[in-house]
Amino acid sequence: MYTIMRHAELKESLHKRYEKELQQLYSRTYSSSPHVRYRICYFVNLILEKLGPNAAVDDTQCDEILETMLERVKDVSAGVRKQAVLAMQRLQIPDNPVDPVVFAYQFHLSADPLSSVRQCIITCMGRNYITVPYILQRLWDVDEKVRRHTYVNMCNYPVRAYRVAQRLPLLEQGLNDSSANVKKTAVNIMLKAWIGSYQQNYVAPIAALKLDSSEEELMRFRSVTKQMLREIFEQTDNQQLMAQLPLGDDCELHRCVPLECLNVELLLYWQCLGDYLESTQADESDQVLPELSVFCTYVNKFCESQKPDMDKFAQIEFQNMLLSLVEILDSYDLGDEIGRSNMKTLIKNLLKDCLLDHKIVRVLVRCMEKLITDLNDRMQFFIEIIYETCDLNTKQNELVHDRNLISKLLDDLDTPSKMKRISSLKVKILELEEQEDNFRRQKEYIQAQSVNKEKMAVTEEYTELIKPLLVKHGFLDMPARPKLSNQERVLKGLFTSYYMVASPHVQKLTPSICKLYKDFICRHLHSSDVDIFEWAIKCGNAYSMFYEAYTETVFRVVYHQFYNSKEVRLCETSVSCLLELMDHYGIDYVDKLSRKIGARGLGSKTSNRSQLYTVQDTYDGEEDGDQTVQNSEHSVDIIMAMGRYMEMVVDKGVSLAIVRGLCRLVLRGHIDDRPEVLKQLLKRYFNPNAEPIISQVLGMFFENLVRLKKQALLQPCLLPTLWTVMNCSFDAPLNAVQPDYVVKFFIDLTIQEASSPKSNIHNRIALSFLHYIQNYFTERREMCRLLAKELTNLTINVLNGQEVKTEMLEMADKLITSELEPRLVKNIKVFKTMLDGSFNPPSREARDDLESDEECDTATVASENVVQSEQVSVTNPEKSATEQTLTNASDPQAEASAIAPTATQVSEPILTTFGTENRARDCPGMQEF
C-alpha cells in the first residue's frame, strides 16, 4: 500500500493499475492479521483527515466506509478499534439522534475495555446537548487517564452551554477526585477556563452552579462552591479578591455588604473569603468582616426582611442565607465583652421570634457553647426560651390566669356576645389544662397530646379575641416579624432541645432538662404531625442516652415505628435510634426490652398519622420468620431484621442508616459472635448496584476492621459469601461479580504482620478450604477448583506449629488420593510443597497467566492462528510484485511498534462480551480489589 501510494504520485497513467491492486488489497480488510486491519483503518482515517473542511463524499462510498468501520470498531484488536474510531470521526452527524456513528461512540464510551479507546472517543465525539451527557459519564470512569482526558477535552466547551445540573457534578467530581492528576487538571485547566469566560469575576461562576430545585440541592451547591472558592483563593492575590466585595462605608454597618445587594452567591463569597483570610492569617482578614456588635445588628436587620407571604423556595433561600450569616457569627473571636452581650441578645431573639431551619439552630447552639461555658447556665438559657416560645408557662400566662387583667379588658367590651365567648373559652382552657395534667401523670401520652392539640386551638382563638384589647391598653406590641404557627414553634423548640443535649460538651442531664423532657418532649412522642413526631423521637433517644429511666418509653415508640411505620423518614429515624441504643446500652439490654414489649404487646393505642409507605410489604411471603414481625407475642431478632431490610429496602437513607449502625456495632465489639451480620455487609459491599455512599462507608469500615486488627471476624464469612456469589441466579446483581476477586479481597484483608500458628488467620482459611474440597468436590466443582488454586496464595505460618502442619498435610494427602480432577490434585501438591518450605510460589499475576483455563487456551489458539496466517501470507508465491515489495520493504519492528499487538489484545472477546467500566471511582468495584 505504501509502494502504491508512493508510485501513484509519480505517474498519473498508472493510476488505473494501482487502483486495481488497491481493490485486491481491500478484499483483504477482512484479513486475520490485525496488522492489515489496522493499516486499512489507518489509511481511511488519513484520507478523511486530509480532506478539506467543505469536502463531501459520494453517498455510496460513504455508506461502504461507514459499514466497514462499524464492523472494525468491534474488532478484537484494540489498535484496530482505535483507528476505526478515528476514521468515523468525519462521518458522524451529532445532531442526528439516531446517527449510527454516535450510537457506536456512546456504546464504546462506556463498554470498551481499553482506556485509550475510550479516550479516543472523547476526543472524536461531536459535542452538543445529545452527546455531552455521555461524555460527562466518563467523570466516573475507573481509569484516571480517562477522567483526566474528559476534563482536558471538555474545558473548551463553553460553560454557558452546560446545563446547571451538568456544571455542578462536573466541578464536584473534579475537586474530589481520588487522583491528584485529575484534580490538578480540573483546577488548573477547566476552572481557569470557566473563570476566564466570566472575565475574572469570581462571584458569577457561583451563580452558574446554583440549583434551585430543592433544599438538598442547595446544600450540595454550598459544599461545592466552598471547595471551588478555596481553589480560586489559593491562586489569586488577596487584594484582587477583596475588590470583588462591595463592602459598605456607613458608620452603622461599616464593612458589611449592603442588604439591598445581598444574595446567596455574594454572601457565600463573603463567608468563604473571610474564612480563608482568617485561616491564612492574612493582613486583610480584619478588613473583610465588621466588628461583632455591628455584625449582630446586620443579622438582625436581615431577619426583618423575612416576610410572612414568602413562597416555599423564597423561604428555603432565606434560610440558606441566614445559615451563612450564623456560620460567620460562629467564626468570631469572643474577646469583645460588648460584642458577646449583643451576640447573646441576637441568638435569643432568633430562637424566639424567627422561623429557623434545624441547621441554623445547631450553629446557634454551638455559638452559645462558646458564649456560656457553664452547663447549668447554658441549659437554663435555652430552657427559658423553649418554655416561652412553646407556651409551656401556661399557668403563669396572664392572658388566661390574671383575673384583674381580664376584668379590666372586658370592661371595655360593649358586646355581650363577645364577652360571653371570651369567658367560655377561658373556662374551656382551664378544663383542658386539668385533663392534660391528669393524662400526663398517668403516662397516657397519646390522650395528653390530643388534649394539648385541642387546648392550643382554643388558646389561639382566645388570644385573637383579646389581642385588640391588649394593643389598645398598651399591654402588647404587634410583632414586626411573621407570626409563627404552633407547629413551627414546637419544631423550633425540639430543634433546640435536641442540639443542646446532643453535644460533646454535655455529660449529664440537669434537673431542669429532665423537667423539660416531662413538660415538653414526651408530650410529642405520639404527635400526629410527622415532622414533630420525628424530632420528638430524636430528642427522646438523645435524652435516654443520659437517663436510663426514659429508655423504655422511647424504645417502645421507636420499636413500633421500626416494624410498622409506612413513612420512610420515620423508618430511617427509628433505625438510627435503635442502633444508637444498642451501641450505648448493649444488644442484650435492647433484646430484653424487645422481649418485654413483645410480652406486653405493642398495645392497641396508635396515632392517627397517615400511613404512606411500608417496608414490610417487601417481605410478604418470603420467609416464615418474617411473620414474627407482626406477632407481638414473640421477641424479634432486630439485628437480623435490619439485615433483611438492608437488602430489600429501596430507599437509600434507610439502607445507609442500617449500614452505618451495623458497622459501628461490629467495630465496637457488640456482635463478634454474629458472623451473619458481617455476611450481610459483605453482600452489600460486593453488590455492583450499591449506592456510592454506601460503598464508601463499607470501604472505610473494612479499612478500620484491619486497623483494629479484627480481620479474624472475616474468616467465617469467606466460604458462605463466595458460595452466594457463585450460586446466585443469572439476573441477580451478584452474578456480575468475579469469584476470584472475592477470594482475593478476603485473602488480602486477612494478611497479618505477625501471628502464631494457632492465631494465624490464613492457617484457618487453608483448613477450611481443604475441608470444603473434601466435602463438596463432586457437587460444587467450580468452587473447589477456585479454592484449590487459591491455596497457594495464602500466607501460611506453620513454623513451630507441628499440629497445624500435620493436620494440613493429612488433609492434603487424603485429597490427593481421592478421585479429584488432575488440576485440583496439581494445586494441592503445590500447596504441600509450600508447607514443607521447598516451594516459592510466583506472584498471583504470573500464576494466573500459567493457569490452563479455557480463556487462556482460547488466547493461545487465537494467537497461533494469527501467526500462521501471517506466515502463509509471507510465503505465498502467488502474491503480486507490489505486495512482495511491500513485504520486503516493511520494517517488522516499526510495524509492531505502531500497532502494538499483543496476545491479550488479539484474543480479547468480541464486543458483545465486553465488560463495562462505567463504575464510579468512589464506589469500590471488583476490579479495584
Side-chain angles (χ1 to χ4, degrees):
M1 201 178 294
Y2 276 123
T3 305
I4 291 173
M5 290 299 152
R6 190 163 53 248
H7 291 174
E9 295 177 353
L10 301 178
K11 292 184 180 181
E12 186 177 354
S13 60
L14 298 177
H15 282 188
K16 289 187 178 179
R17 174 188 167 187
Y18 292 146
E19 183 178 346
K20 291 181 180 179
E21 290 202 20
L22 280 176
Q23 290 175 352
Q24 292 176 2
L25 287 175
Y26 182 80
S27 64
R28 299 182 178 89
T29 299
Y30 303 97
S31 172
S32 59
S33 171
H35 303 265
V36 177
R37 302 196 303 271
Y38 175 91
R39 285 302 177 188
I40 291 176
C41 296
Y42 180 59
F43 176 59
V44 174
N45 174 35
L46 286 180
I47 293 177
L48 295 178
E49 182 184 0
K50 296 302 180 182
L51 295 178
N54 298 320
V57 181
D58 181 75
D59 288 345
T60 304
Q61 293 179 343
C62 184
D63 292 342
E64 290 177 352
I65 295 173
L66 181 59
E67 180 182 358
T68 304
M69 292 301 106
L70 287 174
E71 286 296 321
R72 293 281 62 76
V73 82
K74 296 183 287 186
D75 200 279
V76 295
S77 171
V80 176
R81 296 200 304 274
K82 186 174 180 179
Q83 287 303 318
V85 167
L86 293 169
M88 291 191 297
Q89 181 176 5
R90 299 200 67 183
L91 302 179
Q92 64 179 318
I93 308 175
D95 295 332
N96 182 4
V98 294
D99 180 62
V101 178
V102 175
F103 271 3
Y105 280 174
Q106 290 173 1
F107 177 78
H108 285 268
L109 196 57
S110 62
D112 199 285
L114 199 70
S115 61
S116 61
V117 177
R118 303 197 298 275
Q119 289 177 258
C120 188
I121 295 175
I122 293 172
T123 303
C124 297
M125 200 173 196
R127 295 171 178 81
N128 58 19
Y129 72 98
I130 297 175
T131 60
V132 164
Y134 293 95
I135 298 176
L136 293 183
Q137 286 180 1
R138 291 304 95 210
L139 298 176
W140 292 270
D141 198 281
V142 296
D143 194 301
E144 69 173 73
K145 296 190 295 295
V146 178
R147 303 198 299 271
R148 182 184 181 278
H149 196 74
T150 304
Y151 283 103
V152 170
N153 280 267
M154 297 307 291
C155 67
N156 295 325
Y157 193 68
V159 62
R160 292 180 175 86
Y162 290 107
R163 292 183 287 110
V164 178
Q166 293 172 336
R167 298 171 194 156
L168 196 65
L170 186 62
L171 189 60
E172 184 179 37
Q173 293 298 324
L175 295 178
N176 294 283
D177 199 283
S178 58
S179 169
N181 289 331
V182 177
K183 183 176 180 180
K184 185 178 180 180
T185 302
V187 172
N188 294 339
I189 298 180
M190 187 194 71
L191 188 55
K192 276 189 176 180
W194 283 16
I195 295 173
S197 66
Y198 287 101
Q199 292 76 44
Q200 305 302 315
N201 184 336
Y202 304 133
V203 180
I206 303 177
L209 296 175
K210 190 173 73 169
L211 284 172
D212 298 342
S213 57
S214 65
E215 183 179 358
E216 290 74 19
E217 291 295 344
L218 268 176
M219 296 306 297
R220 181 186 173 201
F221 151 76
R222 284 170 57 90
S223 176
V224 177
T225 298
K226 289 180 179 181
Q227 286 183 280
M228 178 189 73
L229 290 176
R230 184 75 184 193
E231 298 292 342
I232 294 174
F233 294 162
E234 290 177 352
Q235 302 179 21
T236 313
D237 180 70
N238 290 345
Q239 292 298 328
Q240 187 177 351
L241 298 174
M242 293 278 296
Q244 304 272 338
L245 272 178
L247 299 179
D249 296 328
D250 59 283
C251 297
E252 185 182 9
L253 299 178
H254 181 58
R255 292 203 300 267
C256 293
V257 176
L259 288 170
E260 57 271 14
C261 64
L262 192 68
N263 54 36
V264 175
E265 305 89 66
L266 188 57
L267 182 53
L268 264 178
Y269 183 85
W270 188 19
Q271 176 188 1
C272 294
L273 182 57
D275 291 341
Y276 171 75
L277 295 177
E278 180 69 24
S279 65
T280 57
Q281 298 181 350
D283 297 335
E284 297 86 354
S285 59
D286 294 336
Q287 304 173 21
V288 177
L289 294 176
E291 295 180 355
L292 179 56
S293 297
V294 175
F295 189 74
C296 290
T297 303
Y298 182 82
V299 176
N300 193 58
K301 286 183 175 295
F302 172 79
C303 292
E304 292 176 357
S305 65
Q306 189 179 22
K307 306 297 182 185
D309 56 347
M310 280 184 173
D311 59 28
K312 180 179 180 180
F313 181 75
Q315 188 62 251
I316 291 176
E317 194 168 73
F318 175 86
Q319 296 292 324
N320 193 277
M321 295 173 69
L322 185 55
L323 177 60
S324 292
L325 289 172
V326 297
E327 286 177 346
I328 295 175
L329 190 69
D330 187 38
S331 67
Y332 268 90
D333 181 15
L334 302 180
D336 178 12
E337 185 176 352
I338 298 177
R340 291 200 305 270
S341 177
N342 291 328
M343 182 177 175
K344 181 178 179 181
T345 302
L346 171 66
I347 294 176
K348 183 176 182 179
N349 292 336
L350 290 176
L351 291 175
K352 286 176 58 178
D353 302 329
C354 198
L355 179 61
L356 303 177
D357 182 77
H358 73 91
K359 295 182 287 294
I360 299 174
V361 175
R362 181 188 60 190
V363 180
L364 293 178
V365 171
R366 193 168 62 207
C367 292
M368 287 306 303
E369 289 177 347
K370 294 189 294 186
L371 271 178
I372 306 177
T373 57
D374 182 77
L375 176 64
N376 291 324
D377 294 344
R378 184 171 68 250
M379 293 303 173
Q380 192 59 37
F381 172 83
F382 289 126
I383 289 172
E384 289 177 359
I385 294 176
I386 295 171
Y387 269 77
E388 183 177 350
T389 304
C390 299
D391 295 330
L392 299 178
N393 296 320
T394 308
K395 291 188 176 180
Q396 288 76 34
N397 193 331
E398 293 183 349
L399 297 181
V400 178
H401 298 280
D402 193 325
R403 296 184 178 181
N404 295 329
L405 174 63
I406 298 300
S407 300
K408 184 176 181 179
L409 293 175
L410 294 180
D411 287 342
D412 289 348
L413 283 176
D414 52 1
T415 307
S417 59
K418 191 173 183 179
M419 182 185 300
K420 183 177 180 180
R421 180 58 180 166
I422 292 176
S423 300
S424 64
L425 289 175
K426 177 183 175 181
V427 173
K428 183 66 173 177
I429 292 173
L430 296 175
E431 292 176 352
L432 292 173
E433 283 182 354
E434 185 177 358
Q435 292 181 24
E436 183 182 7
D437 289 341
N438 292 334
F439 282 129
R440 284 175 51 208
R441 282 194 293 269
Q442 299 169 12
K443 295 185 178 182
E444 298 288 347
Y445 297 114
I446 297 180
Q447 287 82 351
Q449 174 63 26
S450 177
V451 173
N452 178 266
K453 186 176 181 180
E454 182 181 0
K455 185 192 71 175
M456 296 304 297
V458 176
T459 304
E460 185 76 16
E461 181 183 357
Y462 177 83
T463 305
E464 289 297 322
L465 287 175
I466 66 171
K467 184 182 294 183
L469 299 175
L470 293 171
V471 174
K472 179 180 178 181
H473 289 275
F475 293 108
L476 180 67
D477 294 328
M478 296 301 290
R481 292 174 184 162
K483 176 185 174 183
L484 300 182
S485 66
N486 179 61
Q487 187 226 26
E488 292 168 344
R489 287 185 280 113
V490 171
L491 270 177
K492 190 163 59 173
L494 290 171
F495 296 160
T496 309
S497 302
Y498 176 77
Y499 286 116
M500 74 182 194
V501 170
S503 166
H505 299 282
V506 177
Q507 305 297 331
K508 62 180 181 179
L509 298 185
T510 64
S512 57
I513 298 178
C514 294
K515 186 175 186 302
L516 175 69
Y517 177 85
K518 296 178 180 178
D519 292 345
F520 177 54
I521 294 172
C522 66
R523 292 185 181 184
H524 301 285
L525 283 176
H526 298 278
S527 175
S528 58
D529 186 283
V530 175
D531 295 326
I532 293 177
F533 182 57
E534 179 185 9
W535 278 94
I537 291 176
K538 290 181 178 180
C539 288
N541 199 69
Y543 281 53
S544 64
M545 296 292 181
F546 296 98
Y547 192 24
E548 188 178 344
Y550 299 153
T551 305
E552 182 175 346
T553 302
V554 174
F555 180 81
R556 177 179 291 272
V557 177
V558 173
Y559 184 87
H560 175 81
Q561 291 304 312
F562 173 63
Y563 285 112
N564 299 287
S565 177
K566 299 179 182 179
E567 175 67 44
V568 175
R569 288 166 48 197
L570 296 180
C571 185
E572 180 181 348
T573 301
S574 62
V575 164
S576 299
C577 292
L578 279 174
L579 290 166
E580 287 174 0
L581 288 173
M582 292 180 193
D583 182 40
H584 185 74
Y585 288 108
I587 295 181
D588 291 340
Y589 179 85
V590 173
D591 186 56
K592 290 179 182 178
L593 286 179
S594 64
R595 286 200 298 267
K596 186 176 181 181
I597 292 176
R600 294 181 180 177
L602 291 175
S604 58
K605 300 174 182 178
T606 57
S607 64
N608 57 353
R609 287 176 290 104
S610 301
Q611 305 295 309
L612 300 177
Y613 172 85
T614 179
V615 181
Q616 281 302 125
D617 292 345
T618 60
Y619 305 109
D620 287 346
E622 289 206 359
E623 295 183 12
D624 294 337
D626 295 330
Q627 301 301 323
T628 58
V629 170
Q630 302 294 340
N631 191 350
S632 62
E633 296 181 359
H634 301 281
S635 63
V636 179
D637 190 337
I638 302 178
I639 297 293
M640 287 305 298
M642 286 187 177
R644 292 194 295 267
Y645 278 31
M646 179 177 62
E647 287 188 349
M648 305 299 296
V649 175
V650 178
D651 183 73
K652 180 175 68 176
V654 177
S655 299
L656 182 59
I658 295 175
V659 168
R660 280 178 170 163
L662 293 180
C663 288
R664 181 168 59 182
L665 293 179
V666 173
L667 292 175
R668 292 168 68 91
H670 290 293
I671 47 179
D672 288 351
D673 58 340
R674 302 286 296 271
E676 65 274 9
V677 176
L678 205 51
K679 293 175 192 174
Q680 296 284 354
L681 295 175
L682 285 162
K683 287 171 61 177
R684 189 69 173 185
Y685 182 70
F686 287 121
N687 190 334
N689 296 336
E691 297 82 0
I693 181 62
I694 293 180
S695 297
Q696 281 184 340
V697 170
L698 288 171
M700 295 173 63
F701 162 70
F702 290 119
E703 289 178 2
N704 281 280
L705 205 65
V706 175
R707 181 180 59 83
L708 297 174
K709 299 185 180 348
K710 288 179 170 284
Q711 310 102 299
L713 297 175
L714 293 171
Q715 186 265 324
C717 307
L718 196 163
L719 292 174
T721 304
L722 181 61
W723 176 244
T724 300
V725 171
M726 298 188 71
N727 194 45
C728 63
S729 60
F730 177 77
D731 56 346
L734 291 177
N735 185 64
V737 180
Q738 296 296 327
D740 53 340
Y741 288 133
V742 177
V743 182
K744 183 179 185 298
F745 169 82
F746 276 94
I747 292 177
D748 292 346
L749 219 60
T750 51
I751 294 177
Q752 296 168 286
E753 296 179 0
S755 64
S756 64
K758 289 187 177 180
S759 64
N760 186 273
I761 303 175
H762 281 198
N763 287 357
R764 296 200 294 270
I765 292 178
L767 287 171
S768 68
F769 282 10
L770 295 171
H771 282 287
Y772 196 93
I773 295 172
Q774 181 182 15
N775 295 331
Y776 295 103
F777 72 89
T778 56
E779 295 91 349
R780 304 177 181 180
R781 293 186 178 182
E782 288 296 327
M783 184 164 170
C784 290
R785 290 172 188 167
L786 178 59
L787 296 181
K789 186 180 75 171
E790 294 294 338
L791 277 171
T792 56
N793 291 325
L794 297 172
T795 307
I796 303 297
N797 178 13
V798 292
L799 185 64
N800 300 325
Q802 190 60 40
E803 294 182 4
V804 177
K805 181 178 179 180
T806 302
E807 184 179 359
M808 290 183 184
L809 289 172
E810 290 177 354
M811 287 293 302
D813 291 334
K814 187 181 297 185
L815 289 173
I816 291 173
T817 58
S818 303
E819 297 180 357
L820 298 180
E821 296 179 359
R823 187 186 309 177
L824 271 71
V825 173
K826 177 183 176 181
N827 287 323
I828 294 174
K829 287 181 178 179
V830 172
F831 174 70
K832 280 190 62 179
T833 61
M834 284 179 55
L835 291 175
D836 294 332
S838 58
F839 176 72
N840 186 19
S843 64
R844 176 188 295 270
E845 290 76 12
R847 287 196 297 273
D848 290 342
D849 291 340
L850 293 174
E851 284 293 326
S852 59
D853 291 339
E854 294 181 0
E855 293 182 0
C856 297
D857 294 339
T858 305
T860 305
V861 172
S863 303
E864 292 174 353
N865 290 338
V866 171
V867 174
Q868 291 174 2
S869 65
E870 291 177 354
Q871 292 175 348
V872 172
S873 176
V874 172
T875 59
N876 189 352
E878 299 179 359
K879 290 194 300 180
S880 67
T882 306
E883 291 177 295
Q884 189 66 47
T885 304
L886 173 61
T887 304
N888 296 333
S890 63
D891 183 359
Q893 185 175 359
E895 188 78 10
S897 175
I899 306 176
T902 63
T904 304
Q905 290 176 339
V906 174
S907 65
E908 284 174 348
I910 60 174
L911 193 59
T912 54
T913 61
F914 283 164
T916 179
E917 289 193 318
N918 186 20
R919 288 196 184 98
R921 53 168 177 75
D922 55 356
C923 179
M926 298 306 102
Q927 296 191 8
E928 297 175 359
F929 291 164

